[in-house]
Amino acid sequence: MEFLKKLLKKKSIVFVLVVVVLYGGYSIYKNITKVEAETKYVTQAVQKGALIISVSSTGQVTSSNQVDIKPANSGKITSVRVRPGQEVRAGNVIATLDTQTASQQIKQAQVAIMQAQVAYDKLVGGATSSDLLSSKLALESAQNAFAKAKTDLQIIIEEQKRAVAKAYNTLLNSGLALTQNDTNTTATLTLSGTYNGTVEGSFVVSFYSTGSGTFYQVSGLGSNSGTISSGAPLPLGNGLFMTVSQTGKIDTSTKWTMDVPNKTSASYATNLYAYESALLTQTKTVALAEDAIKTAENNLKKAQNDLDAKLIPAENTDIQSAKIQIESAKLQLSAAQTAYGNNIVTAPFAGIIASLEARLGDQASSATALATIITKEKIAEISLNEVDVTKIKVGQQATLTFDAVENLSLTGKVREVGLIGVATQGVVLYTVKIGFDTDDERIKPGMSVS
């Protein structure tokens, strides 16, 4: 083969060879046929030219790209922005899902970033003079509150003690009265004063006579004694007095008794309830005052710690933690923005909306095809057998005709040659894609092409 190529490059040699071949062939022909008539030949110089090999087949017109548009999220369709047959650009909005939740998440993430940034700036910059002053004032206020709570407790304790003592004194004075053990004494004893003792018990009054006169003697809760002076108050003890009437006689065999308190009196039950209530009130009131001291003490510690924290410089670990909080908040914002963007369904490339299934108010998911988009550019897909396909290469010229449009012929170029064949009825076929050099609106996807 290499020899022939070199030989053909030389025109003179080729011409001589052609003449020799023609002459030899003629001589052989003449000898065989023995034609007597003279034959004339016309010769011409060998010339170079293009060798065209054509391969033909049929197929269909398709779009260069076709995609079902599906949302990344699930939700209610709140808007539809296109119509079937509409031409769109890459990124144009096809439909929108409900973005209310995603919008709230974005706002929350933005607030979290601002809060984290403020905390970081405050930590790095340290406390300002106004912050320190505020903390010092808060500490002083807490100290005063703690001191007041302790003072209030002492006041409350004393007040409650007095209230309980008063209620108990009232109880001890319930229905006090002197009663005699016999009727020998006809004089009457009148009780006066208020019992100011603090214990329960009884007063016992007895009488005796001497040459100097009649005397009285008090035992039990009292220890007084003296000469009886009719009509004048005589001390029994603990704030109580008795007055002997000026009429009637006194018999030394008679003894007078007085119980403190008089539990048979009508006022005893009422005074006992009042005393028990005073005890309960004392317990509750003192407990509340003690709790107030604990609260004031805790507030004081907190104020002191707050001031100490502002006076101590921030540690590196605290600063690093504050940075992490900022980055975490930013990641939350990014996730929220992504979630929001996934609710906006857009065209993946420039093309035409071939079909539209999205309806306002419908629920959609990631498996829902809202629309189908095709490219405006069309290609011809033809099938070639395994013999013909070996002659096809990308970039080769093609001529296209269409059954649906008479006398229309378009040119194109081979864009893709299939690498995998499909066996159909014993014949292996390969798909070849051909792009149009020019577009014609009469040509639609799905039409037959040769």
Side-chain angles (χ1 to χ4, degrees), residues 168 201 283 356 386 437:
Y168 187 57
T283 301
L356 182 65
E386 56 187 316
D437 290 336

Side-chain angles (χ1 to χ4, degrees), residues 65-103:
N65 197 2
Q66 176 177 320
V67 173
D68 288 337
I69 302 175
K70 300 177 181 180
N73 281 349
S74 298
K76 182 180 179 180
I77 300 175
T78 56
S79 69
V80 179
R81 304 290 185 85
V82 296
R83 62 182 183 279
Q86 180 177 338
E87 186 175 343
V88 296
R89 296 181 180 179
N92 283 167
V93 177
I94 303 299
T96 303
L97 304 186
D98 187 4
T99 59
Q100 184 175 0
T101 300
S103 297

Side-chain angles (χ1 to χ4, degrees), residues 251-262:
D251 192 299
T252 56
S253 65
T254 303
K255 289 187 178 181
W256 297 75
T257 304
M258 181 174 61
D259 293 329
V260 179
N262 183 2

Side-chain angles (χ1 to χ4, degrees), residues 179-356:
T179 60
Q180 60 190 86
N181 64 337
D182 59 32
T183 60
N184 294 331
T185 298
T186 58
T188 59
L189 300 181
T190 304
L191 184 68
S192 62
T194 301
Y195 178 68
N196 56 20
T198 59
V199 295
E200 298 181 11
S202 299
F203 287 87
V204 179
V205 181
S206 60
F207 302 97
Y208 63 93
S209 296
T210 66
S212 301
T214 304
F215 297 86
Y216 76 96
Q217 177 70 44
V218 182
S219 61
L221 293 177
S223 59
N224 290 330
S225 63
T227 304
I228 294 178
S229 178
S230 299
L234 302 175
L236 298 177
N238 292 312
L240 292 176
F241 299 86
M242 69 175 183
T243 301
V244 180
S245 65
Q246 295 178 348
T247 60
K249 70 172 183 174
I250 296 176
D251 192 299
T252 56
S253 65
T254 303
K255 289 187 178 181
W256 297 75
T257 304
M258 181 174 61
D259 293 329
V260 179
N262 183 2
K263 296 181 179 180
T264 62
S265 68
S267 61
Y268 176 76
T270 301
N271 293 336
L272 178 61
Y273 177 78
Y275 170 65
E276 291 175 345
S277 297
L279 287 175
L280 182 60
T281 301
Q282 179 187 43
T283 301
K284 290 182 177 179
T285 305
V286 171
L288 289 173
E290 290 174 342
D291 289 341
I293 289 179
K294 293 179 181 178
T295 300
E297 186 177 13
N298 290 335
N299 291 336
L300 176 59
K301 291 179 180 178
K302 183 179 179 181
Q304 184 66 59
N305 292 336
D306 180 65
L307 178 60
D308 292 343
K310 290 180 179 179
L311 294 174
I312 299 174
E315 296 182 0
N316 290 334
T317 54
D318 294 332
I319 295 176
Q320 188 63 30
S321 177
K323 287 183 179 179
I324 293 174
Q325 292 297 324
I326 294 176
E327 293 303 318
S328 176
K330 288 182 178 179
L331 289 175
Q332 292 177 0
L333 176 60
S334 178
Q337 290 172 334
T338 299
Y340 181 90
N342 288 339
N343 289 325
I344 310 299
V345 185
T346 59
F349 51 78
I352 299 172
I353 302 300
S355 65
L356 182 65

Side-chain angles (χ1 to χ4, degrees), residues 141-161:
S141 176
Q143 290 171 336
N144 294 334
F146 180 59
K148 183 178 183 301
K150 292 193 292 184
T151 302
D152 289 345
L153 175 62
Q154 296 304 317
I155 294 174
I156 288 172
I157 290 174
E158 294 301 323
E159 288 177 345
Q160 290 303 310
K161 281 183 179 180

